[in-house]
Amino acid sequence: IFDPYFSTKQKGSGLGLAISYSIIKNHGGYITVESKLGVGTTFYIYLPASMEAIKVGKEGKEGKEGFIPGEGRILLMDDEEGVRNVAGRMLKVIGYEGEFTKDGVEAIEMYEQAKESGKPFDVVIMDLTVPGGMGGKEAIEKLLSINPDAKVIVSSGYFNDPVMAHFKRHGFSGIITKPYNIVELSKILHNVITGNE
């Protein structure tokens, strides 16, 4: 059940548990599950305790939290509602105004409407693949036909995908692998916006 795209649901993408597993593993933890038909399911998550003191407040350019504050309008396209919600909270903390969509077709429409209204997006973050829909791989061409100077970051849990390895060849300005944290998100946005990729 922790394998990417494994799902028992008709419309599910199966990435929720794969991302959860990856986050927990990256924190030195462990996740396991027990399930009984007709009774229920229990997940057990084990995380190592930290002996470090909790840091509060901001200092300097990056602050104690380590993220680079920014401003601007960001369009995030991801088929997973959980990813959109978490990334939305991170964007708000960093200082960006975020708008969200679940597939490439909607992303292109929103990008075009924002451009025509005089409030264009500074950066678009696109999920590489959207099961049953248009992902970033297909949407980037249409987006660049609307604005050849569009700044688009490709996002995926599959860092070994050829598009991720050669993102500039496909028209992307940067990459971010899922799951990402607030520091990684702030740095890639800062680099793409300022042109320091």
Side-chain angles (χ1 to χ4, degrees):
I1 65 168
F2 296 108
D3 290 342
Y5 297 114
F6 172 84
S7 181
T8 57
K9 296 178 181 175
Q10 194 72 23
K11 292 187 176 181
S13 69
L15 286 177
L17 285 174
I19 289 171
S20 299
Y21 175 84
S22 180
I23 291 168
I24 292 162
K25 188 176 176 190
N26 287 341
H27 284 84
Y30 179 73
I31 182 171
T32 185
V33 62
E34 288 179 3
S35 186
K36 290 183 183 174
L37 189 63
V39 177
T41 303
T42 305
F43 285 87
Y44 297 93
I45 300 170
Y46 301 90
L47 294 170
S50 173
M51 303 310 289
E52 291 182 23
I54 297 171
K55 297 174 182 175
V56 181
K58 297 179 183 177
E59 284 183 1
K61 182 183 174 187
E62 293 187 1
K64 283 188 178 179
E65 294 89 350
F67 67 80
I68 303 170
E71 58 182 41
R73 299 188 74 227
I74 311 298
L75 174 61
L76 179 109
M77 182 273 283
D78 198 291
D79 65 308
E80 288 284 324
E81 186 179 1
V83 172
R84 294 194 303 270
N85 291 341
V86 171
R89 287 196 293 271
M90 288 193 282
L91 287 169
K92 191 172 183 180
V93 169
I94 297 167
Y96 294 102
E97 179 190 333
E99 289 200 33
F100 312 93
T101 181
K102 64 183 184 304
D103 68 30
V105 173
E106 285 182 9
I108 291 162
E109 287 173 8
M110 288 174 73
Y111 188 88
E112 204 162 18
Q113 286 169 5
K115 187 173 182 273
E116 287 170 5
S117 72
K119 288 179 149 188
F121 290 105
D122 296 289
V123 178
V124 180
I125 302 171
M126 286 190 162
D127 192 3
L128 182 62
T129 54
V130 172
M134 182 190 287
K137 197 184 286 190
E138 299 84 18
I140 184 69
E141 290 179 30
K142 296 188 179 187
L143 204 80
L144 291 174
S145 70
I146 297 166
N147 178 10
D149 299 319
K151 294 179 178 181
V152 187
I153 298 167
V154 62
S155 170
S156 177
Y158 300 102
F159 57 87
N160 57 352
D161 187 287
V163 175
M164 296 293 279
H166 306 287
F167 64 93
K168 287 199 175 187
R169 279 190 213 163
H170 296 272
F172 293 102
S173 306
I175 59 167
I176 189 164
T177 54
K178 293 190 284 189
Y180 47 83
N181 60 39
I182 194 167
V183 174
E184 293 165 332
L185 181 60
S186 74
K187 286 182 179 175
I188 188 64
L189 286 169
H190 174 78
N191 290 344
V192 167
I193 288 170
T194 60
N196 296 329
E197 307 115 61

mmCIF file with all atom_site columns, all heavy atoms in Angstrom, residues 92-106:
data_model
loop_
_atom_site.group_PDB
_atom_site.id
_atom_site.type_symbol
_atom_site.label_atom_id
_atom_site.label_alt_id
_atom_site.label_comp_id
_atom_site.label_asym_id
_atom_site.label_entity_id
_atom_site.label_seq_id
_atom_site.pdbx_PDB_ins_code
_atom_site.Cartn_x
_atom_site.Cartn_y
_atom_site.Cartn_z
_atom_site.occupancy
_atom_site.B_iso_or_equiv
_atom_site.pdbx_formal_charge
_atom_site.auth_seq_id
_atom_site.auth_comp_id
_atom_site.auth_asym_id
_atom_site.auth_atom_id
_atom_site.pdbx_PDB_model_num
ATOM 1   N N   . LYS A 1 92  ? 2.092   30.630 2.253   1.00 0.00 ? 92  LYS A N   1
ATOM 2   C CA  . LYS A 1 92  ? 1.580   31.750 3.055   1.00 0.00 ? 92  LYS A CA  1
ATOM 3   C C   . LYS A 1 92  ? 2.608   32.172 4.107   1.00 0.00 ? 92  LYS A C   1
ATOM 4   O O   . LYS A 1 92  ? 2.855   33.357 4.307   1.00 0.00 ? 92  LYS A O   1
ATOM 5   C CB  . LYS A 1 92  ? 0.264   31.340 3.715   1.00 0.00 ? 92  LYS A CB  1
ATOM 6   C CG  . LYS A 1 92  ? -0.481  32.491 4.335   1.00 0.00 ? 92  LYS A CG  1
ATOM 7   C CD  . LYS A 1 92  ? -1.861  32.058 4.800   1.00 0.00 ? 92  LYS A CD  1
ATOM 8   C CE  . LYS A 1 92  ? -2.620  33.244 5.352   1.00 0.00 ? 92  LYS A CE  1
ATOM 9   N NZ  . LYS A 1 92  ? -3.962  32.885 5.807   1.00 0.00 ? 92  LYS A NZ  1
ATOM 10  N N   . VAL A 1 93  ? 3.221   31.193 4.781   1.00 0.00 ? 93  VAL A N   1
ATOM 11  C CA  . VAL A 1 93  ? 4.229   31.491 5.805   1.00 0.00 ? 93  VAL A CA  1
ATOM 12  C C   . VAL A 1 93  ? 5.428   32.199 5.185   1.00 0.00 ? 93  VAL A C   1
ATOM 13  O O   . VAL A 1 93  ? 5.962   33.162 5.736   1.00 0.00 ? 93  VAL A O   1
ATOM 14  C CB  . VAL A 1 93  ? 4.674   30.198 6.544   1.00 0.00 ? 93  VAL A CB  1
ATOM 15  C CG1 . VAL A 1 93  ? 5.902   30.447 7.409   1.00 0.00 ? 93  VAL A CG1 1
ATOM 16  C CG2 . VAL A 1 93  ? 3.533   29.657 7.391   1.00 0.00 ? 93  VAL A CG2 1
ATOM 17  N N   . ILE A 1 94  ? 5.850   31.739 3.999   1.00 0.00 ? 94  ILE A N   1
ATOM 18  C CA  . ILE A 1 94  ? 7.011   32.331 3.320   1.00 0.00 ? 94  ILE A CA  1
ATOM 19  C C   . ILE A 1 94  ? 6.702   33.765 2.885   1.00 0.00 ? 94  ILE A C   1
ATOM 20  O O   . ILE A 1 94  ? 7.595   34.610 2.861   1.00 0.00 ? 94  ILE A O   1
ATOM 21  C CB  . ILE A 1 94  ? 7.428   31.475 2.098   1.00 0.00 ? 94  ILE A CB  1
ATOM 22  C CG1 . ILE A 1 94  ? 7.872   30.089 2.540   1.00 0.00 ? 94  ILE A CG1 1
ATOM 23  C CG2 . ILE A 1 94  ? 8.569   32.148 1.323   1.00 0.00 ? 94  ILE A CG2 1
ATOM 24  C CD1 . ILE A 1 94  ? 7.991   29.086 1.389   1.00 0.00 ? 94  ILE A CD1 1
ATOM 25  N N   . GLY A 1 95  ? 5.429   34.039 2.542   1.00 0.00 ? 95  GLY A N   1
ATOM 26  C CA  . GLY A 1 95  ? 5.055   35.396 2.137   1.00 0.00 ? 95  GLY A CA  1
ATOM 27  C C   . GLY A 1 95  ? 4.399   35.484 0.776   1.00 0.00 ? 95  GLY A C   1
ATOM 28  O O   . GLY A 1 95  ? 4.061   36.568 0.313   1.00 0.00 ? 95  GLY A O   1
ATOM 29  N N   . TYR A 1 96  ? 4.193   34.332 0.107   1.00 0.00 ? 96  TYR A N   1
ATOM 30  C CA  . TYR A 1 96  ? 3.613   34.325 -1.228  1.00 0.00 ? 96  TYR A CA  1
ATOM 31  C C   . TYR A 1 96  ? 2.090   34.208 -1.178  1.00 0.00 ? 96  TYR A C   1
ATOM 32  O O   . TYR A 1 96  ? 1.525   33.680 -0.226  1.00 0.00 ? 96  TYR A O   1
ATOM 33  C CB  . TYR A 1 96  ? 4.169   33.160 -2.050  1.00 0.00 ? 96  TYR A CB  1
ATOM 34  C CG  . TYR A 1 96  ? 5.638   33.283 -2.355  1.00 0.00 ? 96  TYR A CG  1
ATOM 35  C CD1 . TYR A 1 96  ? 6.582   32.545 -1.641  1.00 0.00 ? 96  TYR A CD1 1
ATOM 36  C CD2 . TYR A 1 96  ? 6.087   34.137 -3.357  1.00 0.00 ? 96  TYR A CD2 1
ATOM 37  C CE1 . TYR A 1 96  ? 7.932   32.650 -1.915  1.00 0.00 ? 96  TYR A CE1 1
ATOM 38  C CE2 . TYR A 1 96  ? 7.440   34.250 -3.636  1.00 0.00 ? 96  TYR A CE2 1
ATOM 39  C CZ  . TYR A 1 96  ? 8.358   33.504 -2.913  1.00 0.00 ? 96  TYR A CZ  1
ATOM 40  O OH  . TYR A 1 96  ? 9.690   33.616 -3.190  1.00 0.00 ? 96  TYR A OH  1
ATOM 41  N N   . GLU A 1 97  ? 1.456   34.680 -2.247  1.00 0.00 ? 97  GLU A N   1
ATOM 42  C CA  . GLU A 1 97  ? 0.019   34.507 -2.443  1.00 0.00 ? 97  GLU A CA  1
ATOM 43  C C   . GLU A 1 97  ? -0.145  33.306 -3.368  1.00 0.00 ? 97  GLU A C   1
ATOM 44  O O   . GLU A 1 97  ? 0.375   33.307 -4.483  1.00 0.00 ? 97  GLU A O   1
ATOM 45  C CB  . GLU A 1 97  ? -0.552  35.772 -3.095  1.00 0.00 ? 97  GLU A CB  1
ATOM 46  C CG  . GLU A 1 97  ? -2.029  35.714 -3.385  1.00 0.00 ? 97  GLU A CG  1
ATOM 47  C CD  . GLU A 1 97  ? -2.488  36.883 -4.240  1.00 0.00 ? 97  GLU A CD  1
ATOM 48  O OE1 . GLU A 1 97  ? -1.864  37.960 -4.194  1.00 0.00 ? 97  GLU A OE1 1
ATOM 49  O OE2 . GLU A 1 97  ? -3.483  36.705 -4.967  1.00 0.00 ? 97  GLU A OE2 1
ATOM 50  N N   . GLY A 1 98  ? -0.828  32.281 -2.914  1.00 0.00 ? 98  GLY A N   1
ATOM 51  C CA  . GLY A 1 98  ? -0.951  31.060 -3.705  1.00 0.00 ? 98  GLY A CA  1
ATOM 52  C C   . GLY A 1 98  ? -2.344  30.825 -4.236  1.00 0.00 ? 98  GLY A C   1
ATOM 53  O O   . GLY A 1 98  ? -3.332  31.153 -3.589  1.00 0.00 ? 98  GLY A O   1
ATOM 54  N N   . GLU A 1 99  ? -2.403  30.262 -5.447  1.00 0.00 ? 99  GLU A N   1
ATOM 55  C CA  . GLU A 1 99  ? -3.654  29.765 -6.013  1.00 0.00 ? 99  GLU A CA  1
ATOM 56  C C   . GLU A 1 99  ? -3.385  28.337 -6.452  1.00 0.00 ? 99  GLU A C   1
ATOM 57  O O   . GLU A 1 99  ? -2.252  27.981 -6.807  1.00 0.00 ? 99  GLU A O   1
ATOM 58  C CB  . GLU A 1 99  ? -4.120  30.638 -7.181  1.00 0.00 ? 99  GLU A CB  1
ATOM 59  C CG  . GLU A 1 99  ? -4.602  31.994 -6.690  1.00 0.00 ? 99  GLU A CG  1
ATOM 60  C CD  . GLU A 1 99  ? -5.493  32.710 -7.689  1.00 0.00 ? 99  GLU A CD  1
ATOM 61  O OE1 . GLU A 1 99  ? -6.238  32.031 -8.425  1.00 0.00 ? 99  GLU A OE1 1
ATOM 62  O OE2 . GLU A 1 99  ? -5.434  33.941 -7.716  1.00 0.00 ? 99  GLU A OE2 1
ATOM 63  N N   . PHE A 1 100 ? -4.442  27.509 -6.443  1.00 0.00 ? 100 PHE A N   1
ATOM 64  C CA  . PHE A 1 100 ? -4.230  26.078 -6.573  1.00 0.00 ? 100 PHE A CA  1
ATOM 65  C C   . PHE A 1 100 ? -5.204  25.434 -7.543  1.00 0.00 ? 100 PHE A C   1
ATOM 66  O O   . PHE A 1 100 ? -6.343  25.864 -7.667  1.00 0.00 ? 100 PHE A O   1
ATOM 67  C CB  . PHE A 1 100 ? -4.357  25.426 -5.185  1.00 0.00 ? 100 PHE A CB  1
ATOM 68  C CG  . PHE A 1 100 ? -3.559  26.164 -4.151  1.00 0.00 ? 100 PHE A CG  1
ATOM 69  C CD1 . PHE A 1 100 ? -4.145  27.165 -3.389  1.00 0.00 ? 100 PHE A CD1 1
ATOM 70  C CD2 . PHE A 1 100 ? -2.228  25.907 -3.985  1.00 0.00 ? 100 PHE A CD2 1
ATOM 71  C CE1 . PHE A 1 100 ? -3.407  27.885 -2.459  1.00 0.00 ? 100 PHE A CE1 1
ATOM 72  C CE2 . PHE A 1 100 ? -1.473  26.611 -3.060  1.00 0.00 ? 100 PHE A CE2 1
ATOM 73  C CZ  . PHE A 1 100 ? -2.060  27.603 -2.302  1.00 0.00 ? 100 PHE A CZ  1
ATOM 74  N N   . THR A 1 101 ? -4.716  24.384 -8.203  1.00 0.00 ? 101 THR A N   1
ATOM 75  C CA  . THR A 1 101 ? -5.534  23.633 -9.138  1.00 0.00 ? 101 THR A CA  1
ATOM 76  C C   . THR A 1 101 ? -5.048  22.189 -9.175  1.00 0.00 ? 101 THR A C   1
ATOM 77  O O   . THR A 1 101 ? -3.919  21.902 -8.778  1.00 0.00 ? 101 THR A O   1
ATOM 78  C CB  . THR A 1 101 ? -5.501  24.275 -10.539 1.00 0.00 ? 101 THR A CB  1
ATOM 79  O OG1 . THR A 1 101 ? -6.336  23.511 -11.405 1.00 0.00 ? 101 THR A OG1 1
ATOM 80  C CG2 . THR A 1 101 ? -4.091  24.296 -11.111 1.00 0.00 ? 101 THR A CG2 1
ATOM 81  N N   . LYS A 1 102 ? -5.922  21.293 -9.673  1.00 0.00 ? 102 LYS A N   1
ATOM 82  C CA  . LYS A 1 102 ? -5.597  19.868 -9.608  1.00 0.00 ? 102 LYS A CA  1
ATOM 83  C C   . LYS A 1 102 ? -5.059  19.266 -10.900 1.00 0.00 ? 102 LYS A C   1
ATOM 84  O O   . LYS A 1 102 ? -4.573  18.154 -10.901 1.00 0.00 ? 102 LYS A O   1
ATOM 85  C CB  . LYS A 1 102 ? -6.800  19.068 -9.109  1.00 0.00 ? 102 LYS A CB  1
ATOM 86  C CG  . LYS A 1 102 ? -8.013  19.103 -10.023 1.00 0.00 ? 102 LYS A CG  1
ATOM 87  C CD  . LYS A 1 102 ? -9.167  18.337 -9.393  1.00 0.00 ? 102 LYS A CD  1
ATOM 88  C CE  . LYS A 1 102 ? -10.388 18.235 -10.258 1.00 0.00 ? 102 LYS A CE  1
ATOM 89  N NZ  . LYS A 1 102 ? -10.952 19.493 -10.727 1.00 0.00 ? 102 LYS A NZ  1
ATOM 90  N N   . ASP A 1 103 ? -5.149  20.000 -12.024 1.00 0.00 ? 103 ASP A N   1
ATOM 91  C CA  . ASP A 1 103 ? -4.575  19.440 -13.259 1.00 0.00 ? 103 ASP A CA  1
ATOM 92  C C   . ASP A 1 103 ? -4.122  20.528 -14.226 1.00 0.00 ? 103 ASP A C   1
ATOM 93  O O   . ASP A 1 103 ? -4.372  21.711 -14.011 1.00 0.00 ? 103 ASP A O   1
ATOM 94  C CB  . ASP A 1 103 ? -5.555  18.474 -13.948 1.00 0.00 ? 103 ASP A CB  1
ATOM 95  C CG  . ASP A 1 103 ? -6.792  19.156 -14.522 1.00 0.00 ? 103 ASP A CG  1
ATOM 96  O OD1 . ASP A 1 103 ? -6.704  20.331 -14.916 1.00 0.00 ? 103 ASP A OD1 1
ATOM 97  O OD2 . ASP A 1 103 ? -7.837  18.501 -14.583 1.00 0.00 ? 103 ASP A OD2 1
ATOM 98  N N   . GLY A 1 104 ? -3.450  20.086 -15.279 1.00 0.00 ? 104 GLY A N   1
ATOM 99  C CA  . GLY A 1 104 ? -2.842  21.004 -16.242 1.00 0.00 ? 104 GLY A CA  1
ATOM 100 C C   . GLY A 1 104 ? -3.830  21.840 -17.020 1.00 0.00 ? 104 GLY A C   1
ATOM 101 O O   . GLY A 1 104 ? -3.551  22.999 -17.334 1.00 0.00 ? 104 GLY A O   1
ATOM 102 N N   . VAL A 1 105 ? -4.989  21.288 -17.341 1.00 0.00 ? 105 VAL A N   1
ATOM 103 C CA  . VAL A 1 105 ? -5.996  22.024 -18.112 1.00 0.00 ? 105 VAL A CA  1
ATOM 104 C C   . VAL A 1 105 ? -6.441  23.255 -17.318 1.00 0.00 ? 105 VAL A C   1
ATOM 105 O O   . VAL A 1 105 ? -6.466  24.376 -17.835 1.00 0.00 ? 105 VAL A O   1
ATOM 106 C CB  . VAL A 1 105 ? -7.207  21.124 -18.466 1.00 0.00 ? 105 VAL A CB  1
ATOM 107 C CG1 . VAL A 1 105 ? -8.313  21.938 -19.119 1.00 0.00 ? 105 VAL A CG1 1
ATOM 108 C CG2 . VAL A 1 105 ? -6.777  19.976 -19.373 1.00 0.00 ? 105 VAL A CG2 1
ATOM 109 N N   . GLU A 1 106 ? -6.779  23.050 -16.039 1.00 0.00 ? 106 GLU A N   1
ATOM 110 C CA  . GLU A 1 106 ? -7.191  24.164 -15.180 1.00 0.00 ? 106 GLU A CA  1
ATOM 111 C C   . GLU A 1 106 ? -6.043  25.150 -14.978 1.00 0.00 ? 106 GLU A C   1
ATOM 112 O O   . GLU A 1 106 ? -6.260  26.366 -14.945 1.00 0.00 ? 106 GLU A O   1
ATOM 113 C CB  . GLU A 1 106 ? -7.652  23.643 -13.812 1.00 0.00 ? 106 GLU A CB  1
ATOM 114 C CG  . GLU A 1 106 ? -9.008  22.989 -13.832 1.00 0.00 ? 106 GLU A CG  1
ATOM 115 C CD  . GLU A 1 106 ? -9.453  22.529 -12.441 1.00 0.00 ? 106 GLU A CD  1
ATOM 116 O OE1 . GLU A 1 106 ? -8.790  22.876 -11.446 1.00 0.00 ? 106 GLU A OE1 1
ATOM 117 O OE2 . GLU A 1 106 ? -10.462 21.818 -12.373 1.00 0.00 ? 106 GLU A OE2 1
#
